[in-house]
Amino acid sequence: MPLNIANSRLHWRAKERERNAWMARAVVMERQVRGRHQPMAKVRVTAVFYIGGGPFTDPDNITARLKWPLDLLKARGLIVDDNARVLTLTGIPEQRQGTPRRVVLTLQEVA
């Protein structure tokens, strides 16, 4: 689960350490499902957060947690960019009870 950076009061170095550790774990998982060779030029993304057994998060805070995953999609070459011309987020991310805590992204290439 990426860090909630919407209300984060972490020092920038601590936040960067968290980001780097999260990215390293995410790259390992991304390599397991990677099968594309061309980045998607236009994509619709749906996100589901599995939050363990804890309480649900405010919708704006859960959306802020998508920054790192979307940055990773761009950095790893799965999408051309993560701006609004290329990427459309489908609604407010859904939250479900479930472990392990994680975010599941579904990408659909659109014309």
Side-chain angles (χ1 to χ4, degrees):
M1 177 78 76
L3 185 68
N4 179 1
I5 57 176
N7 295 324
S8 176
R9 302 291 184 255
L10 286 177
H11 187 273
W12 67 268
R13 278 191 214 136
K15 190 185 312 184
E16 190 65 14
R17 273 194 302 273
E18 287 283 333
R19 181 183 174 279
N20 289 339
W22 182 89
M23 289 285 190
R25 290 188 308 271
V27 165
V28 169
M29 288 185 255
E30 179 264 339
R31 285 182 180 156
Q32 295 170 1
V33 296
R34 188 173 178 90
R36 295 189 62 90
H37 298 287
Q38 295 289 351
M40 291 182 239
K42 196 161 176 90
V43 65
R44 182 177 298 124
V45 177
T46 304
V48 177
F49 283 85
Y50 292 87
I51 59 168
F56 291 123
T57 304
D58 292 340
D60 55 338
N61 289 340
I62 202 75
T63 303
R65 285 182 183 247
L66 287 175
K67 174 152 181 47
W68 293 353
L70 297 178
D71 286 350
L72 180 70
L73 293 176
K74 181 182 174 195
R76 299 291 297 162
L78 294 171
I79 60 176
V80 172
D81 204 343
D82 59 355
N83 65 38
R85 290 184 308 271
V86 172
L87 186 141
T88 302
L89 181 61
T90 305
I92 296 171
E94 184 181 346
Q95 298 179 62
R96 298 181 187 166
Q97 302 288 336
T99 54
R101 291 169 40 96
R102 65 198 183 279
V103 59
V104 175
L105 300 177
T106 303
L107 282 63
Q108 178 183 12
E109 193 165 20
V110 294

